[in-house]
Amino acid sequence: MAREKILIVEDEKEIMKLLKYNLEKEGYQVFSSMDGEAGLSLARKSKPHMIILDLMLPKLDGIELCKILRKESQVPIIMLTAKKEETDRVLGLELGADDYVTKPFSVRELLARIKSL
């Protein structure tokens, strides 16, 4: 059976390493990108089963990336961001994100949310 593929689009190296390590440990095949444009290209090429998406990204921000992805696919998207305001959470969910997690975050909680989607 093929492993489920998760794409992480995150510009903070330490968070990227933490997520990649923990997801691979759980058996996922992980692809990663540190900016929105590369993330979009990788999403189209790798056809992930899920995307973990930061909002504040270079080149193409997470909101625009989410809009584009939603027009092209129904892949589950978890927004992972430092933006904590209710308006930010509501906007993210209205744009098509399936879940919204704020930083700092619990890796165990994020893994549980991934499994539930």
Side-chain angles (χ1 to χ4, degrees), residues 48-50 69-77 96 98:
H49 296 97
M50 175 173 290
L69 290 168
R70 269 298 157 253
K71 287 179 186 166
E72 298 178 3
S73 120
Q74 287 305 307
V75 62
I77 297 172
D98 297 281

Side-chain angles (χ1 to χ4, degrees), residues 29-84:
Q29 183 179 1
V30 180
F31 299 87
S32 58
S33 166
M34 297 195 62
D35 70 69
E37 284 180 2
L40 178 59
S41 174
L42 203 49
R44 288 173 170 160
K45 193 167 67 181
S46 67
K47 304 274 191 250
H49 296 97
M50 175 173 290
I51 298 173
I52 298 173
L53 178 60
D54 188 10
L55 283 184
M56 295 178 280
L57 294 166
K59 297 187 181 175
L60 179 67
D61 72 41
I63 290 182
E64 289 306 309
L65 180 52
C66 186
K67 285 181 189 175
I68 294 166
L69 290 168
R70 269 298 157 253
K71 287 179 186 166
E72 298 178 3
S73 120
Q74 287 305 307
V75 62
I77 297 172
I78 297 178
M79 288 193 170
L80 180 65
T81 179
K83 291 186 162 225
K84 296 179 171 140

